[in-house]
Amino acid sequence: CARCLNTISAANNDETRHSETLPANPGLRFRLCTNLAGAIAALGFPDELGFNNFLYPNIADTRKLLLFLIDTLPKSEQPTSVDVKDISLDEKIVLALQRARQQPWLPPSWQPSQP
């Protein structure tokens, strides 16, 4: 959630950054999760949201939250045509990951056998 929120903030030219890991201290965990909940609620999340959604998650609420964050992420433009020979290795990796993200994920047992 924090990674999505950081990406959204960066796209909105907001300097606010949220930690992507929870600290060991319970008080700091509470404060961090409360700040995350407030920031996501400020984006317009329609349901009730508090620290407990992050510290004690359940499947239904987590799914709603992630779908909202994914819908709120800035849409990046896909490159129309790129000559693979003229780009660096890093750019090739990014393009390969973008293509892989467009395909639905299947559990290994559901994937077709490769000869």
Side-chain angles (χ1 to χ4, degrees):
C1 291
R3 185 172 294 172
C4 289
L5 194 56
N6 288 336
T7 303
I8 294 166
S9 295
N12 294 336
N13 295 323
D14 186 4
E15 297 289 327
T16 307
R17 296 287 175 254
H18 300 277
S19 175
E20 295 179 11
T21 58
L22 287 175
N25 183 324
L28 293 177
R29 284 178 180 230
F30 169 78
R31 188 175 305 132
L32 176 72
C33 292
T34 302
N35 290 340
L36 276 176
I40 293 171
L43 289 174
F45 186 68
D47 295 341
E48 187 175 325
L49 189 63
F51 72 93
N52 54 329
N53 293 83
F54 300 104
L55 291 179
Y56 313 107
N58 66 50
I59 294 172
D61 290 341
T62 302
R63 185 174 196 282
K64 286 180 194 176
L65 178 60
L66 288 174
L67 286 173
F68 170 79
L69 287 173
I70 290 170
D71 286 340
T72 309
L73 282 171
K75 308 298 183 236
S76 63
E77 295 183 18
Q78 297 290 331
T80 53
S81 65
V82 177
D83 188 9
V84 179
K85 295 178 184 177
D86 295 337
I87 59 176
S88 69
L89 177 62
D90 291 340
E91 291 169 331
K92 288 179 185 178
I93 293 171
V94 168
L95 288 173
L97 289 173
Q98 286 175 345
R99 283 191 300 267
R101 285 179 51 200
Q102 292 174 352
Q103 298 178 356
W105 179 83
L106 294 174
S109 60
W110 291 8
Q111 293 178 358
S113 300
Q114 297 179 357

